[in-house]
Amino acid sequence: MARRALQVCPTPGCPRLTKAGRCADCVAKAAASRPSASAKGYDRAWQRTRAAYLMANPYCGCEECARFPELLRPRATEVDHKDGLGPLGPRGHDWSNLVGMTKSHHSRKTAREQPGGWNDREPR
Ligand SMILES: [Zn+2]
Ligand SMILES: [Zn+2]
């Protein structure tokens, strides 16, 4: 049986030995420096807004689904911001700025808007 050799942590300047990937210290540091979802406004207040919105607007409202009557649309599980600015934007909790979407339709829309950002298309 081959012994697993220890490697030096791949983080520049970190001398610690580790079995695979970064050492525990660097992993913890990276997790702490990443902005958390709540720092971007996805906090308890947003959870409430989102839940209330989905109660009132339970069906997917993406561009494709919007053409169909509500009862033919899949159920929305996520809420998208039309202005692309998220809960911290000036209309982050404004229902007229929100659209409920299924997870897959939401990622399809997000993918289509990358990398041009939220401002590269004329509103229809
Ligand atoms: Zn390290
Ligand atoms: Zn949809």
mmCIF file of all heavy atoms in Angstrom, residues 71-123:
data_model
loop_
_atom_site.group_PDB
_atom_site.id
_atom_site.type_symbol
_atom_site.label_atom_id
_atom_site.label_comp_id
_atom_site.label_asym_id
_atom_site.label_seq_id
_atom_site.Cartn_x
_atom_site.Cartn_y
_atom_site.Cartn_z
ATOM 1 N N LEU A 71 -51.923 28.375 -14.755
ATOM 2 C CA LEU A 71 -52.054 26.989 -14.322
ATOM 3 C C LEU A 71 -51.210 26.026 -15.146
ATOM 4 O O LEU A 71 -51.003 24.889 -14.756
ATOM 5 C CB LEU A 71 -53.520 26.568 -14.347
ATOM 6 C CG LEU A 71 -54.339 27.230 -13.228
ATOM 7 C CD1 LEU A 71 -55.811 26.925 -13.390
ATOM 8 C CD2 LEU A 71 -53.852 26.777 -11.858
ATOM 9 N N LEU A 72 -50.711 26.485 -16.291
ATOM 10 C CA LEU A 72 -49.848 25.628 -17.101
ATOM 11 C C LEU A 72 -48.373 25.832 -16.775
ATOM 12 O O LEU A 72 -47.520 25.130 -17.288
ATOM 13 C CB LEU A 72 -50.069 25.914 -18.591
ATOM 14 C CG LEU A 72 -51.446 25.562 -19.141
ATOM 15 C CD1 LEU A 72 -51.533 25.923 -20.611
ATOM 16 C CD2 LEU A 72 -51.739 24.084 -18.944
ATOM 17 N N ARG A 73 -48.085 26.797 -15.907
ATOM 18 C CA ARG A 73 -46.686 27.081 -15.613
ATOM 19 C C ARG A 73 -46.194 26.238 -14.442
ATOM 20 O O ARG A 73 -46.968 25.876 -13.567
ATOM 21 C CB ARG A 73 -46.519 28.541 -15.210
ATOM 22 C CG ARG A 73 -47.003 29.514 -16.246
ATOM 23 C CD ARG A 73 -46.674 30.903 -15.760
ATOM 24 N NE ARG A 73 -47.511 31.903 -16.388
ATOM 25 C CZ ARG A 73 -47.568 33.160 -15.944
ATOM 26 N NH1 ARG A 73 -46.876 33.531 -14.896
ATOM 27 N NH2 ARG A 73 -48.331 34.022 -16.560
ATOM 28 N N PRO A 74 -44.908 25.927 -14.439
ATOM 29 C CA PRO A 74 -44.352 25.229 -13.278
ATOM 30 C C PRO A 74 -44.320 26.146 -12.063
ATOM 31 O O PRO A 74 -44.388 27.366 -12.196
ATOM 32 C CB PRO A 74 -42.929 24.869 -13.724
ATOM 33 C CG PRO A 74 -42.600 25.829 -14.803
ATOM 34 C CD PRO A 74 -43.907 26.206 -15.466
ATOM 35 N N ARG A 75 -44.213 25.535 -10.899
ATOM 36 C CA ARG A 75 -44.171 26.299 -9.651
ATOM 37 C C ARG A 75 -42.827 27.002 -9.490
ATOM 38 O O ARG A 75 -41.778 26.420 -9.724
ATOM 39 C CB ARG A 75 -44.352 25.359 -8.457
ATOM 40 C CG ARG A 75 -45.764 24.891 -8.312
ATOM 41 C CD ARG A 75 -46.157 24.873 -6.840
ATOM 42 N NE ARG A 75 -47.588 25.067 -6.731
ATOM 43 C CZ ARG A 75 -48.160 25.903 -5.866
ATOM 44 N NH1 ARG A 75 -47.419 26.600 -5.031
ATOM 45 N NH2 ARG A 75 -49.451 26.035 -5.820
ATOM 46 N N ALA A 76 -42.891 28.245 -9.070
ATOM 47 C CA ALA A 76 -41.664 28.993 -8.810
ATOM 48 C C ALA A 76 -41.106 28.614 -7.447
ATOM 49 O O ALA A 76 -41.860 28.385 -6.499
ATOM 50 C CB ALA A 76 -41.950 30.485 -8.847
ATOM 51 N N THR A 77 -39.803 28.516 -7.362
ATOM 52 C CA THR A 77 -39.169 28.253 -6.070
ATOM 53 C C THR A 77 -38.158 29.344 -5.729
ATOM 54 O O THR A 77 -37.663 29.412 -4.629
ATOM 55 C CB THR A 77 -38.428 26.901 -6.066
ATOM 56 O OG1 THR A 77 -37.537 26.882 -7.173
ATOM 57 C CG2 THR A 77 -39.399 25.754 -6.176
ATOM 58 N N GLU A 78 -37.833 30.180 -6.712
ATOM 59 C CA GLU A 78 -36.859 31.236 -6.466
ATOM 60 C C GLU A 78 -37.437 32.559 -6.932
ATOM 61 O O GLU A 78 -38.358 32.587 -7.727
ATOM 62 C CB GLU A 78 -35.570 30.951 -7.246
ATOM 63 C CG GLU A 78 -35.012 29.593 -6.914
ATOM 64 C CD GLU A 78 -33.594 29.404 -7.416
ATOM 65 O OE1 GLU A 78 -33.138 30.219 -8.242
ATOM 66 O OE2 GLU A 78 -32.963 28.450 -6.959
ATOM 67 N N VAL A 79 -36.892 33.636 -6.395
ATOM 68 C CA VAL A 79 -37.375 34.958 -6.781
ATOM 69 C C VAL A 79 -36.213 35.745 -7.376
ATOM 70 O O VAL A 79 -35.146 35.852 -6.774
ATOM 71 C CB VAL A 79 -37.972 35.705 -5.572
ATOM 72 C CG1 VAL A 79 -38.328 37.133 -5.939
ATOM 73 C CG2 VAL A 79 -39.216 34.976 -5.076
ATOM 74 N N ASP A 80 -36.441 36.245 -8.590
ATOM 75 C CA ASP A 80 -35.415 36.996 -9.302
ATOM 76 C C ASP A 80 -35.719 38.484 -9.223
ATOM 77 O O ASP A 80 -36.878 38.875 -9.125
ATOM 78 C CB ASP A 80 -35.413 36.533 -10.770
ATOM 79 C CG ASP A 80 -34.335 37.234 -11.581
ATOM 80 O OD1 ASP A 80 -33.160 37.151 -11.189
ATOM 81 O OD2 ASP A 80 -34.670 37.870 -12.587
ATOM 82 N N HIS A 81 -34.653 39.298 -9.236
ATOM 83 C CA HIS A 81 -34.846 40.750 -9.272
ATOM 84 C C HIS A 81 -34.746 41.223 -10.715
ATOM 85 O O HIS A 81 -33.736 41.007 -11.372
ATOM 86 C CB HIS A 81 -33.775 41.447 -8.431
ATOM 87 C CG HIS A 81 -33.960 41.249 -6.964
ATOM 88 N ND1 HIS A 81 -33.469 40.149 -6.298
ATOM 89 C CD2 HIS A 81 -34.619 41.991 -6.040
ATOM 90 C CE1 HIS A 81 -33.824 40.233 -5.023
ATOM 91 N NE2 HIS A 81 -34.515 41.334 -4.835
ATOM 92 N N LYS A 82 -35.798 41.897 -11.203
ATOM 93 C CA LYS A 82 -35.776 42.357 -12.589
ATOM 94 C C LYS A 82 -34.620 43.312 -12.837
ATOM 95 O O LYS A 82 -34.054 43.350 -13.921
ATOM 96 C CB LYS A 82 -37.087 43.076 -12.940
ATOM 97 C CG LYS A 82 -38.286 42.156 -13.025
ATOM 98 C CD LYS A 82 -39.512 42.960 -13.444
ATOM 99 C CE LYS A 82 -40.777 42.161 -13.219
ATOM 100 N NZ LYS A 82 -41.990 42.973 -13.367
ATOM 101 N N ASP A 83 -34.296 44.138 -11.843
ATOM 102 C CA ASP A 83 -33.210 45.101 -12.063
ATOM 103 C C ASP A 83 -31.833 44.474 -11.869
ATOM 104 O O ASP A 83 -30.821 45.120 -12.082
ATOM 105 C CB ASP A 83 -33.380 46.340 -11.176
ATOM 106 C CG ASP A 83 -33.303 46.016 -9.684
ATOM 107 O OD1 ASP A 83 -32.987 44.864 -9.328
ATOM 108 O OD2 ASP A 83 -33.553 46.920 -8.882
ATOM 109 N N GLY A 84 -31.794 43.195 -11.480
ATOM 110 C CA GLY A 84 -30.522 42.505 -11.347
ATOM 111 C C GLY A 84 -29.680 42.970 -10.170
ATOM 112 O O GLY A 84 -28.528 42.577 -10.045
ATOM 113 N N LEU A 85 -30.221 43.798 -9.307
ATOM 114 C CA LEU A 85 -29.411 44.373 -8.233
ATOM 115 C C LEU A 85 -29.555 43.629 -6.909
ATOM 116 O O LEU A 85 -28.854 43.939 -5.953
ATOM 117 C CB LEU A 85 -29.772 45.851 -8.033
ATOM 118 C CG LEU A 85 -29.523 46.738 -9.256
ATOM 119 C CD1 LEU A 85 -29.962 48.164 -8.984
ATOM 120 C CD2 LEU A 85 -28.058 46.709 -9.657
ATOM 121 N N GLY A 86 -30.454 42.661 -6.849
ATOM 122 C CA GLY A 86 -30.589 41.889 -5.617
ATOM 123 C C GLY A 86 -31.316 42.670 -4.537
ATOM 124 O O GLY A 86 -31.759 43.805 -4.752
ATOM 125 N N PRO A 87 -31.414 42.058 -3.354
ATOM 126 C CA PRO A 87 -32.186 42.662 -2.252
ATOM 127 C C PRO A 87 -31.625 43.999 -1.779
ATOM 128 O O PRO A 87 -32.339 44.773 -1.139
ATOM 129 C CB PRO A 87 -32.085 41.623 -1.129
ATOM 130 C CG PRO A 87 -31.610 40.375 -1.762
ATOM 131 C CD PRO A 87 -30.881 40.746 -2.998
ATOM 132 N N LEU A 88 -30.359 44.279 -2.052
ATOM 133 C CA LEU A 88 -29.783 45.538 -1.595
ATOM 134 C C LEU A 88 -30.030 46.682 -2.569
ATOM 135 O O LEU A 88 -29.733 47.829 -2.272
ATOM 136 C CB LEU A 88 -28.268 45.396 -1.381
ATOM 137 C CG LEU A 88 -27.835 44.512 -0.208
ATOM 138 C CD1 LEU A 88 -26.329 44.503 -0.095
ATOM 139 C CD2 LEU A 88 -28.465 44.992 1.086
ATOM 140 N N GLY A 89 -30.558 46.377 -3.744
ATOM 141 C CA GLY A 89 -30.856 47.424 -4.718
ATOM 142 C C GLY A 89 -31.980 48.319 -4.209
ATOM 143 O O GLY A 89 -32.660 47.987 -3.238
ATOM 144 N N PRO A 90 -32.172 49.468 -4.893
ATOM 145 C CA PRO A 90 -33.187 50.413 -4.429
ATOM 146 C C PRO A 90 -34.593 49.808 -4.425
ATOM 147 O O PRO A 90 -35.456 50.257 -3.672
ATOM 148 C CB PRO A 90 -33.086 51.565 -5.441
ATOM 149 C CG PRO A 90 -32.343 51.018 -6.613
ATOM 150 C CD PRO A 90 -31.468 49.922 -6.096
ATOM 151 N N ARG A 91 -34.827 48.786 -5.240
ATOM 152 C CA ARG A 91 -36.146 48.159 -5.277
ATOM 153 C C ARG A 91 -36.031 46.685 -4.897
ATOM 154 O O ARG A 91 -36.781 45.850 -5.372
ATOM 155 C CB ARG A 91 -36.746 48.336 -6.664
ATOM 156 C CG ARG A 91 -37.036 49.809 -6.980
ATOM 157 C CD ARG A 91 -37.365 50.001 -8.444
ATOM 158 N NE ARG A 91 -38.596 49.336 -8.789
ATOM 159 C CZ ARG A 91 -38.829 48.744 -9.972
ATOM 160 N NH1 ARG A 91 -37.907 48.748 -10.894
ATOM 161 N NH2 ARG A 91 -39.979 48.152 -10.200
ATOM 162 N N GLY A 92 -35.117 46.402 -4.005
ATOM 163 C CA GLY A 92 -34.837 45.014 -3.628
ATOM 164 C C GLY A 92 -36.010 44.279 -3.012
ATOM 165 O O GLY A 92 -36.100 43.065 -3.097
ATOM 166 N N HIS A 93 -36.905 45.022 -2.347
ATOM 167 C CA HIS A 93 -38.055 44.374 -1.704
ATOM 168 C C HIS A 93 -39.367 44.853 -2.319
ATOM 169 O O HIS A 93 -40.425 44.724 -1.731
ATOM 170 C CB HIS A 93 -38.035 44.627 -0.192
ATOM 171 C CG HIS A 93 -36.910 43.891 0.496
ATOM 172 N ND1 HIS A 93 -37.117 42.784 1.287
ATOM 173 C CD2 HIS A 93 -35.573 44.096 0.477
ATOM 174 C CE1 HIS A 93 -35.934 42.344 1.734
ATOM 175 N NE2 HIS A 93 -34.990 43.128 1.260
ATOM 176 N N ASP A 94 -39.261 45.433 -3.492
ATOM 177 C CA ASP A 94 -40.436 45.969 -4.186
ATOM 178 C C ASP A 94 -41.003 44.866 -5.088
ATOM 179 O O ASP A 94 -40.335 44.407 -6.014
ATOM 180 C CB ASP A 94 -39.966 47.183 -5.007
ATOM 181 C CG ASP A 94 -41.083 47.810 -5.817
ATOM 182 O OD1 ASP A 94 -42.142 47.165 -5.988
ATOM 183 O OD2 ASP A 94 -40.888 48.936 -6.284
ATOM 184 N N TRP A 95 -42.221 44.451 -4.802
ATOM 185 C CA TRP A 95 -42.789 43.310 -5.540
ATOM 186 C C TRP A 95 -42.829 43.542 -7.039
ATOM 187 O O TRP A 95 -42.765 42.601 -7.808
ATOM 188 C CB TRP A 95 -44.196 42.984 -5.021
ATOM 189 C CG TRP A 95 -44.158 42.212 -3.742
ATOM 190 C CD1 TRP A 95 -43.141 42.186 -2.831
ATOM 191 C CD2 TRP A 95 -45.180 41.346 -3.250
ATOM 192 N NE1 TRP A 95 -43.476 41.357 -1.790
ATOM 193 C CE2 TRP A 95 -44.713 40.836 -2.012
ATOM 194 C CE3 TRP A 95 -46.434 40.961 -3.735
ATOM 195 C CZ2 TRP A 95 -45.475 39.948 -1.257
ATOM 196 C CZ3 TRP A 95 -47.198 40.077 -2.984
ATOM 197 C CH2 TRP A 95 -46.721 39.579 -1.752
ATOM 198 N N SER A 96 -42.960 44.799 -7.471
ATOM 199 C CA SER A 96 -43.020 45.029 -8.915
ATOM 200 C C SER A 96 -41.655 44.805 -9.564
ATOM 201 O O SER A 96 -41.543 44.769 -10.785
ATOM 202 C CB SER A 96 -43.533 46.438 -9.212
ATOM 203 O OG SER A 96 -42.623 47.389 -8.701
ATOM 204 N N ASN A 97 -40.637 44.649 -8.749
ATOM 205 C CA ASN A 97 -39.292 44.371 -9.263
ATOM 206 C C ASN A 97 -38.949 42.885 -9.156
ATOM 207 O O ASN A 97 -37.849 42.476 -9.483
ATOM 208 C CB ASN A 97 -38.271 45.208 -8.473
ATOM 209 C CG ASN A 97 -36.852 45.061 -9.014
ATOM 210 O OD1 ASN A 97 -36.648 45.022 -10.222
ATOM 211 N ND2 ASN A 97 -35.883 44.949 -8.131
ATOM 212 N N LEU A 98 -39.898 42.076 -8.681
ATOM 213 C CA LEU A 98 -39.617 40.661 -8.446
ATOM 214 C C LEU A 98 -40.318 39.762 -9.462
ATOM 215 O O LEU A 98 -41.385 40.109 -9.958
ATOM 216 C CB LEU A 98 -40.052 40.262 -7.029
ATOM 217 C CG LEU A 98 -39.484 41.108 -5.879
ATOM 218 C CD1 LEU A 98 -40.039 40.621 -4.544
ATOM 219 C CD2 LEU A 98 -37.971 41.088 -5.871
ATOM 220 N N VAL A 99 -39.697 38.640 -9.774
ATOM 221 C CA VAL A 99 -40.319 37.615 -10.605
ATOM 222 C C VAL A 99 -40.017 36.262 -9.990
ATOM 223 O O VAL A 99 -38.853 35.956 -9.736
ATOM 224 C CB VAL A 99 -39.731 37.580 -12.041
ATOM 225 C CG1 VAL A 99 -40.678 36.837 -12.963
ATOM 226 C CG2 VAL A 99 -39.433 38.954 -12.572
ATOM 227 N N GLY A 100 -41.047 35.476 -9.765
ATOM 228 C CA GLY A 100 -40.836 34.126 -9.280
ATOM 229 C C GLY A 100 -40.404 33.242 -10.437
ATOM 230 O O GLY A 100 -40.867 33.407 -11.563
ATOM 231 N N MET A 101 -39.490 32.313 -10.177
ATOM 232 C CA MET A 101 -39.030 31.411 -11.232
ATOM 233 C C MET A 101 -38.681 30.058 -10.649
ATOM 234 O O MET A 101 -38.338 29.948 -9.473
ATOM 235 C CB MET A 101 -37.752 31.959 -11.897
ATOM 236 C CG MET A 101 -38.014 33.125 -12.803
ATOM 237 S SD MET A 101 -36.532 33.532 -13.719
ATOM 238 C CE MET A 101 -36.951 35.206 -14.147
ATOM 239 N N THR A 102 -38.738 29.035 -11.511
ATOM 240 C CA THR A 102 -38.211 27.749 -11.086
ATOM 241 C C THR A 102 -36.694 27.867 -11.060
ATOM 242 O O THR A 102 -36.122 28.765 -11.676
ATOM 243 C CB THR A 102 -38.580 26.620 -12.064
ATOM 244 O OG1 THR A 102 -37.876 26.835 -13.288
ATOM 245 C CG2 THR A 102 -40.075 26.598 -12.342
ATOM 246 N N LYS A 103 -36.054 26.929 -10.360
ATOM 247 C CA LYS A 103 -34.600 26.982 -10.256
ATOM 248 C C LYS A 103 -33.952 26.932 -11.638
ATOM 249 O O LYS A 103 -33.069 27.712 -11.947
ATOM 250 C CB LYS A 103 -34.118 25.811 -9.392
ATOM 251 C CG LYS A 103 -32.678 25.916 -8.987
ATOM 252 C CD LYS A 103 -32.387 24.840 -7.959
ATOM 253 C CE LYS A 103 -30.914 24.784 -7.564
ATOM 254 N NZ LYS A 103 -30.188 26.032 -7.569
ATOM 255 N N SER A 104 -34.439 26.026 -12.496
ATOM 256 C CA SER A 104 -33.773 25.866 -13.787
ATOM 257 C C SER A 104 -34.054 27.056 -14.707
ATOM 258 O O SER A 104 -33.185 27.489 -15.447
ATOM 259 C CB SER A 104 -34.173 24.544 -14.445
ATOM 260 O OG SER A 104 -35.549 24.509 -14.673
ATOM 261 N N HIS A 105 -35.283 27.597 -14.657
ATOM 262 C CA HIS A 105 -35.561 28.763 -15.495
ATOM 263 C C HIS A 105 -34.773 29.973 -15.010
ATOM 264 O O HIS A 105 -34.355 30.808 -15.807
ATOM 265 C CB HIS A 105 -37.063 29.069 -15.499
ATOM 266 C CG HIS A 105 -37.845 28.005 -16.223
ATOM 267 N ND1 HIS A 105 -39.206 28.066 -16.405
ATOM 268 C CD2 HIS A 105 -37.433 26.853 -16.799
ATOM 269 C CE1 HIS A 105 -39.593 26.976 -17.066
ATOM 270 N NE2 HIS A 105 -38.543 26.235 -17.304
ATOM 271 N N HIS A 106 -34.583 30.054 -13.691
ATOM 272 C CA HIS A 106 -33.801 31.161 -13.138
ATOM 273 C C HIS A 106 -32.354 31.074 -13.611
ATOM 274 O O HIS A 106 -31.776 32.066 -14.053
ATOM 275 C CB HIS A 106 -33.868 31.123 -11.606
ATOM 276 C CG HIS A 106 -33.343 32.358 -10.949
ATOM 277 N ND1 HIS A 106 -33.058 32.419 -9.611
ATOM 278 C CD2 HIS A 106 -33.048 33.577 -11.454
ATOM 279 C CE1 HIS A 106 -32.608 33.639 -9.324
ATOM 280 N NE2 HIS A 106 -32.593 34.359 -10.424
ATOM 281 N N SER A 107 -31.775 29.861 -13.580
ATOM 282 C CA SER A 107 -30.373 29.774 -14.021
ATOM 283 C C SER A 107 -30.261 29.979 -15.527
ATOM 284 O O SER A 107 -29.277 30.517 -16.007
ATOM 285 C CB SER A 107 -29.694 28.471 -13.585
ATOM 286 O OG SER A 107 -30.602 27.467 -13.318
ATOM 287 N N ARG A 108 -31.302 29.578 -16.278
ATOM 288 C CA ARG A 108 -31.278 29.822 -17.711
ATOM 289 C C ARG A 108 -31.245 31.331 -17.984
ATOM 290 O O ARG A 108 -30.486 31.810 -18.807
ATOM 291 C CB ARG A 108 -32.531 29.207 -18.342
ATOM 292 C CG ARG A 108 -32.626 29.390 -19.837
ATOM 293 C CD ARG A 108 -33.760 28.589 -20.418
ATOM 294 N NE ARG A 108 -35.061 29.070 -19.979
ATOM 295 C CZ ARG A 108 -36.209 28.438 -20.217
ATOM 296 N NH1 ARG A 108 -36.204 27.293 -20.855
ATOM 297 N NH2 ARG A 108 -37.343 28.928 -19.786
ATOM 298 N N LYS A 109 -32.066 32.067 -17.247
ATOM 299 C CA LYS A 109 -32.100 33.522 -17.427
ATOM 300 C C LYS A 109 -30.762 34.139 -17.014
ATOM 301 O O LYS A 109 -30.215 34.980 -17.724
ATOM 302 C CB LYS A 109 -33.221 34.116 -16.581
ATOM 303 C CG LYS A 109 -33.212 35.632 -16.577
ATOM 304 C CD LYS A 109 -34.383 36.175 -15.778
ATOM 305 C CE LYS A 109 -34.381 37.703 -15.770
ATOM 306 N NZ LYS A 109 -33.444 38.268 -14.783
ATOM 307 N N THR A 110 -30.238 33.704 -15.872
ATOM 308 C CA THR A 110 -28.961 34.240 -15.405
ATOM 309 C C THR A 110 -27.861 33.963 -16.414
ATOM 310 O O THR A 110 -27.056 34.833 -16.723
ATOM 311 C CB THR A 110 -28.593 33.605 -14.050
ATOM 312 O OG1 THR A 110 -29.715 33.718 -13.182
ATOM 313 C CG2 THR A 110 -27.416 34.307 -13.418
ATOM 314 N N ALA A 111 -27.873 32.737 -16.973
ATOM 315 C CA ALA A 111 -26.839 32.371 -17.941
ATOM 316 C C ALA A 111 -26.937 33.245 -19.185
ATOM 317 O O ALA A 111 -25.933 33.660 -19.752
ATOM 318 C CB ALA A 111 -26.970 30.901 -18.322
ATOM 319 N N ARG A 112 -28.163 33.548 -19.605
ATOM 320 C CA ARG A 112 -28.356 34.346 -20.801
ATOM 321 C C ARG A 112 -27.865 35.773 -20.581
ATOM 322 O O ARG A 112 -27.405 36.429 -21.491
ATOM 323 C CB ARG A 112 -29.842 34.346 -21.156
ATOM 324 C CG ARG A 112 -30.102 34.637 -22.588
ATOM 325 C CD ARG A 112 -31.480 34.203 -23.010
ATOM 326 N NE ARG A 112 -32.475 34.367 -21.961
ATOM 327 C CZ ARG A 112 -33.559 33.619 -21.861
ATOM 328 N NH1 ARG A 112 -33.775 32.681 -22.729
ATOM 329 N NH2 ARG A 112 -34.426 33.813 -20.905
ATOM 330 N N GLU A 113 -27.974 36.236 -19.335
ATOM 331 C CA GLU A 113 -27.584 37.615 -19.061
ATOM 332 C C GLU A 113 -26.093 37.763 -18.806
ATOM 333 O O GLU A 113 -25.584 38.857 -18.754
ATOM 334 C CB GLU A 113 -28.382 38.149 -17.878
ATOM 335 C CG GLU A 113 -29.822 38.375 -18.271
ATOM 336 C CD GLU A 113 -30.671 38.806 -17.095
ATOM 337 O OE1 GLU A 113 -30.143 38.864 -15.979
ATOM 338 O OE2 GLU A 113 -31.856 39.086 -17.317
ATOM 339 N N GLN A 114 -25.386 36.656 -18.645
ATOM 340 C CA GLN A 114 -23.937 36.713 -18.483
ATOM 341 C C GLN A 114 -23.294 36.697 -19.865
ATOM 342 O O GLN A 114 -23.814 36.072 -20.755
ATOM 343 C CB GLN A 114 -23.442 35.499 -17.681
ATOM 344 C CG GLN A 114 -24.102 35.324 -16.363
ATOM 345 C CD GLN A 114 -23.631 36.321 -15.327
ATOM 346 O OE1 GLN A 114 -22.542 36.859 -15.468
ATOM 347 N NE2 GLN A 114 -24.431 36.589 -14.326
ATOM 348 N N PRO A 115 -22.129 37.294 -20.081
ATOM 349 C CA PRO A 115 -21.475 38.157 -19.120
ATOM 350 C C PRO A 115 -21.855 39.618 -19.324
ATOM 351 O O PRO A 115 -21.240 40.511 -18.783
ATOM 352 C CB PRO A 115 -20.000 37.934 -19.441
ATOM 353 C CG PRO A 115 -20.001 37.699 -20.923
ATOM 354 C CD PRO A 115 -21.354 37.114 -21.277
ATOM 355 N N GLY A 116 -22.891 39.861 -20.134
ATOM 356 C CA GLY A 116 -23.248 41.240 -20.457
ATOM 357 C C GLY A 116 -23.781 42.011 -19.275
ATOM 358 O O GLY A 116 -23.871 43.223 -19.321
ATOM 359 N N GLY A 117 -24.142 41.305 -18.202
ATOM 360 C CA GLY A 117 -24.687 42.009 -17.053
ATOM 361 C C GLY A 117 -26.155 42.304 -17.250
ATOM 362 O O GLY A 117 -26.772 41.843 -18.213
ATOM 363 N N TRP A 118 -26.695 43.101 -16.347
ATOM 364 C CA TRP A 118 -28.142 43.268 -16.316
ATOM 365 C C TRP A 118 -28.600 44.386 -17.217
ATOM 366 O O TRP A 118 -29.774 44.650 -17.350
ATOM 367 C CB TRP A 118 -28.611 43.518 -14.888
ATOM 368 C CG TRP A 118 -27.824 44.578 -14.186
ATOM 369 C CD1 TRP A 118 -26.651 44.408 -13.517
ATOM 370 C CD2 TRP A 118 -28.131 45.961 -14.105
ATOM 371 N NE1 TRP A 118 -26.215 45.601 -13.036
ATOM 372 C CE2 TRP A 118 -27.097 46.564 -13.370
ATOM 373 C CE3 TRP A 118 -29.186 46.755 -14.582
ATOM 374 C CZ2 TRP A 118 -27.092 47.939 -13.102
ATOM 375 C CZ3 TRP A 118 -29.174 48.112 -14.313
ATOM 376 C CH2 TRP A 118 -28.119 48.691 -13.582
ATOM 377 N N ASN A 119 -27.677 45.088 -17.842
ATOM 378 C CA ASN A 119 -28.075 46.322 -18.520
ATOM 379 C C ASN A 119 -27.869 46.271 -20.026
ATOM 380 O O ASN A 119 -27.941 47.275 -20.702
ATOM 381 C CB ASN A 119 -27.278 47.489 -17.940
ATOM 382 C CG ASN A 119 -28.029 48.795 -18.081
ATOM 383 O OD1 ASN A 119 -29.245 48.794 -18.313
ATOM 384 N ND2 ASN A 119 -27.332 49.903 -17.956
ATOM 385 N N ASP A 120 -27.599 45.072 -20.581
ATOM 386 C CA ASP A 120 -27.205 45.058 -21.995
ATOM 387 C C ASP A 120 -28.364 44.809 -22.938
ATOM 388 O O ASP A 120 -28.185 44.770 -24.124
ATOM 389 C CB ASP A 120 -26.087 44.024 -22.220
ATOM 390 C CG ASP A 120 -26.582 42.608 -22.035
ATOM 391 O OD1 ASP A 120 -27.590 42.434 -21.313
ATOM 392 O OD2 ASP A 120 -25.997 41.693 -22.597
ATOM 393 N N ARG A 121 -29.565 44.638 -22.382
ATOM 394 C CA ARG A 121 -30.697 44.394 -23.275
ATOM 395 C C ARG A 121 -31.735 45.475 -23.120
ATOM 396 O O ARG A 121 -32.012 45.920 -22.012
ATOM 397 C CB ARG A 121 -31.324 43.043 -22.973
ATOM 398 C CG ARG A 121 -30.748 41.938 -23.839
ATOM 399 C CD ARG A 121 -31.597 40.731 -23.745
ATOM 400 N NE ARG A 121 -31.995 40.480 -22.353
ATOM 401 C CZ ARG A 121 -32.973 39.682 -22.010
ATOM 402 N NH1 ARG A 121 -33.680 39.084 -22.915
ATOM 403 N NH2 ARG A 121 -33.272 39.501 -20.748
ATOM 404 N N GLU A 122 -32.332 45.867 -24.211
ATOM 405 C CA GLU A 122 -33.429 46.815 -24.141
ATOM 406 C C GLU A 122 -34.627 46.149 -23.491
ATOM 407 O O GLU A 122 -34.958 45.019 -23.848
ATOM 408 C CB GLU A 122 -33.829 47.236 -25.555
ATOM 409 C CG GLU A 122 -32.809 48.099 -26.268
ATOM 410 C CD GLU A 122 -32.724 49.469 -25.635
ATOM 411 O OE1 GLU A 122 -33.750 50.135 -25.509
ATOM 412 O OE2 GLU A 122 -31.601 49.875 -25.266
ATOM 413 N N PRO A 123 -35.249 46.802 -22.545
ATOM 414 C CA PRO A 123 -36.483 46.225 -22.002
ATOM 415 C C PRO A 123 -37.551 46.187 -23.083
ATOM 416 O O PRO A 123 -37.610 47.086 -23.926
ATOM 417 C CB PRO A 123 -36.864 47.167 -20.871
ATOM 418 C CG PRO A 123 -36.069 48.402 -21.093
ATOM 419 C CD PRO A 123 -34.904 48.077 -21.967
#
